Structures are given as C-alpha cells and as structure tokens.
Amino acid sequence: MIATTRNGKTTVYGRNGKLSVKNGQLVNEKGEPCMLRGISTHNLNTFPEYATKENMQFMTDNWGMEIFRLAMYTAEADDCKGYSDGSEAHREELEALIGSCIEAAAELGIYVMVDWHILFDADPNTNKEWAIRFFHRITKKYGAYGNIIYEICNEPNLDTTWAQVKSYAEEVIPVIRTNVPDSVIVVGTPKWSQDVDLAAQDPLTYPNLLYTVHFYAATHTQWLRDKTDAAREAGLAVFVTEYGICDASGNGVIDEEETRRWTDYMKENRISHCLWNLSNKAESSAMLAPECKKTTGFADEDLSPCGKWFVAYMSE
Ligand code: IDC
C-alpha cells in the first residue's frame, strides 16, 4: 500500500516503515531513531497549486524530500477563509486535496503530515468541534495509510495556556486513535510552539506523541534550544514541524549561521523538521522566487535564496 521501492531504489518508507515514539524519540519499525527532513506547504487555502502528486514526486526525486507537511489554515488569514470559517464546499475541497496528497505520498513511499494549522484562532479550543470533525473524516477515509503523522494544532498563541492545549488534545487524540489506534500525533505548544518546556512539566499520558517546537533562525536562538533540551531531558519527543531560516515574520534577513546551529542541533539529536514554506510569495521564507510561475519542475533560477539553501542542505 505504501511504496517501499521506486525506480529500483528503497524509499524513505521502505527504510523506516511504520513510525512510533520510544523513550522520547521518533523511531522506525526497527526501533532506531528516525530523523525526517521535509517541506511544509504555505497555507493550502491560498497556495494549493504546489500540492500535487507531480510536484511531490519532483521534490522527492530531486531534493530528497522525506516528509511533506500539509498546512491547512483553520481560520481566515491573508483575506482567505479557512476550514472552520469557510463554506462546506470549501471544506470538502480541502479534504479532497489532502486525500490526494496522502495517496500520492503512499505511492512515492514518503511520509505526510496533516497539519491543523491554527494561527489567528489562537486557542485550539476555538474551533475544536471542526477539528474533531476534520480528524474523524480524514482518519476514517485515509487512516489505513501508515505513513501519516497528525499534527493537531500548529501554534497555540497569545495567552493560550498549556492547560488549555492539553484539554483540547485530550478530546482530539481519542478521535484520531479510535480510527487509527497506533497513529503518531504531534501536539502544538503555547507561545507559537516555543513553550515545549511547559508541556514537559505536565505531559499528556498517551503513547506515540511528539510535541512541537518551531524556530525561525533570525529570531529564535540558543534560548529556544535550551527550552527544547529541557523538554527532551524530561522525556518528551519533539518535532520541528515548521522552521524558517529568516525571522519569525516569515520575512526579513536570512541567518545562515544560526540556521547551521539549528541544523547541527537537530542532526545530533535526530529531530525531524519541515521547512516553511513552499510558495512564490514575496517573502524570504518562500522557497520559490516571486517571478517563478511554475508549479513543479523548478530549476535553480526558479528558487529564492531560501529554496537554494534548502536544496544545498538536502544534498549534504
Ligand atoms: C506566515 C506566512 C505569511 C502569512 C502569515 C499569515 O509566511 O505569508 O501572511 O503567515 O498567514 C508561523 C506560522 C506560519 C507563518 C510563519 C511566518 O505557523 O503560518 O506564516 N510563522 O510568520 N509561526 C512562526 C512563523
């Protein structure tokens, strides 16, 4: 069902198989630490055009993408409605798009992350009923695919507390686990997924969980690695489901030196990570040059400095 070989080569799924979490670490079927390196879409409501099988295949074959994160904003952003505040037809379109990417990931033998991307709806409880419906429908239809990681709330923010996130997680995790009992689930943490150390003081009690850390290298430095270490020392497994090599606005200067500290840190500790973002928006976190109108088959000149950095990083 999920490709283990393609064109005579073993796929990332073929090497790792079904994932789980053991002793604070994402591990493969053999119980070995597994670090996945991938790409996050921009908002699927605004940039759906890159989330195609053809382009996923291009990124897998040419850049070595191992996981594709599907960032579906749950509420309006950038003048575009999300899953929760859009129309029913729009919800169905999003579910179909996500479904086609899950099927494509299985055919390509890569992993896929289904991201309930809360942002302006700062507290995941705001749209909890929609989250429950969404994860119920996705897991019912696609849960048999063992290459899916479920991310239940991108970035709780403003004054949302860990207690609020935890109570949300305690309602949403059982919905996913009813259909996919052994699923790997990532839980967002307060303050735009930086306060992973707070989650570590009062963790959830389910198996196979990871907790989110997000960094933007020009903003988040050693202090955030220290918080991450505190959480890991307390036994939590972490996943950098999103990072940028620029500042936290998604724009501004690129800090390659601090990015290197982060990539070394993630390599040393086998922490999986996805780069923000796959689009041609005129911002420094976008991987494509603003002039690039292609939706796949990108050449060097189609890439922004961020995209070029990523291709070089993946070839290391
Ligand atoms: C940013 C996008 C930007 C968009 C904005 C609001 O890069 O184009 O206008 O969202 O929709 C996050 C969020 C992620 C942000 C990103 C950069 O998860 O949605 O994307 N960021 O600001 N957390 C920290 C940074």
Side-chain angles (χ1 to χ4, degrees):
M1 207 164 176
I2 303 164
T4 52
T5 58
R6 254 185 75 239
N7 308 330
K9 286 195 204 140
T10 307
T11 62
V12 65
Y13 188 82
R15 285 197 299 281
N16 293 287
K18 209 162 166 36
L19 304 176
S20 62
V21 180
K22 298 253 150 59
N23 302 323
Q25 176 67 53
L26 182 66
V27 297
N28 65 21
E29 216 159 83
K30 293 176 226 143
E32 300 158 348
C34 175
M35 179 182 83
L36 300 172
R37 301 194 296 174
I39 295 172
S40 176
T41 65
H42 197 293
N43 180 2
L44 283 184
N45 297 281
T46 46
F47 291 99
E49 62 269 39
Y50 307 105
T52 61
K53 182 178 174 204
E54 190 190 4
N55 189 37
M56 288 167 67
Q57 181 167 334
F58 174 83
M59 297 190 292
T60 304
D61 292 347
N62 293 277
W63 299 344
M65 177 176 78
E66 298 172 323
I67 180 165
F68 190 42
R69 178 187 192 233
L70 305 168
M72 185 190 71
Y73 278 47
T74 56
E76 182 171 339
D78 310 310
D79 295 325
C80 192
K81 299 276 188 206
Y83 184 94
S84 311
D85 52 12
S87 66
E88 183 58 21
H90 184 56
R91 277 188 276 281
E92 282 174 17
E93 252 170 52
L94 287 167
E95 288 176 14
L97 178 65
I98 286 170
S100 66
C101 289
I102 291 171
E103 284 165 353
E107 284 173 50
L108 294 168
I110 63 168
Y111 295 89
V112 62
M113 182 173 282
V114 175
D115 165 27
W116 181 256
H117 198 94
I118 66 161
L119 189 60
F120 296 111
D121 42 348
D123 177 344
N125 292 293
T126 311
N127 287 313
K128 184 182 70 190
E129 295 312 321
W130 287 118
I132 287 172
R133 165 192 141 135
F134 172 76
F135 283 113
H136 169 71
R137 287 166 67 111
I138 293 290
T139 51
K140 193 159 173 235
K141 198 151 176 202
Y142 304 102
Y145 288 105
N147 59 336
I148 307 175
I149 297 179
Y150 301 92
E151 181 176 17
I152 62 171
C153 50
N154 167 51
E155 292 186 349
N157 61 74
L158 299 180
D159 56 2
T160 304
T161 64
W162 170 245
Q164 288 167 311
V165 180
K166 191 177 180 194
S167 119
Y168 164 83
E170 282 167 340
E171 289 195 58
V172 174
I173 291 169
V175 172
I176 297 174
R177 291 275 164 88
T178 298
N179 291 335
V180 195
D182 50 2
S183 49
V184 173
I185 298 176
V186 194
V187 185
T189 57
K191 215 177 282 159
W192 292 272
S193 285
Q194 294 162 37
D195 283 351
V196 70
D197 51 332
L198 294 187
Q201 290 168 16
D202 182 23
L204 288 147
T205 51
Y206 307 89
N208 288 328
L209 293 188
L210 296 117
Y211 295 79
T212 313
V213 174
H214 285 173
F215 74 83
Y216 282 76
T219 307
H220 309 116
T221 59
Q222 187 57 43
W223 59 268
L224 187 53
R225 290 190 289 278
D226 290 344
K227 278 159 87 72
T228 308
D229 279 337
R232 297 181 70 252
E233 277 155 25
L236 292 200
V238 304
F239 200 125
V240 174
T241 61
E242 175 185 309
Y243 69 95
I245 68 171
C246 56
D247 74 34
S249 70
N251 212 346
V253 292
I254 284 174
D255 189 338
E256 289 214 24
E257 218 172 292
E258 193 62 34
T259 298
R260 173 57 61 191
R261 288 186 199 112
W262 274 106
T263 53
D264 286 350
Y265 172 76
M266 295 189 292
K267 187 175 177 189
E268 191 182 315
N269 296 298
R270 313 297 292 156
I271 298 172
S272 299
H273 46 283
C274 297
L275 178 70
W276 184 261
N277 71 74
L278 178 61
S279 79
N280 68 346
K281 189 162 172 174
E283 59 180 5
S284 43
S285 61
M287 295 178 66
L288 305 172
E291 319 69 75
C292 170
K293 300 292 175 259
K294 295 181 193 166
T295 53
T296 189
F298 310 111
D300 209 40
E301 64 268 21
D302 296 320
L303 302 178
S304 68
C306 169
K308 288 181 182 150
W309 170 85
F310 182 77
V311 173
Y313 169 59
M314 292 301 283
S315 70
E316 283 174 9

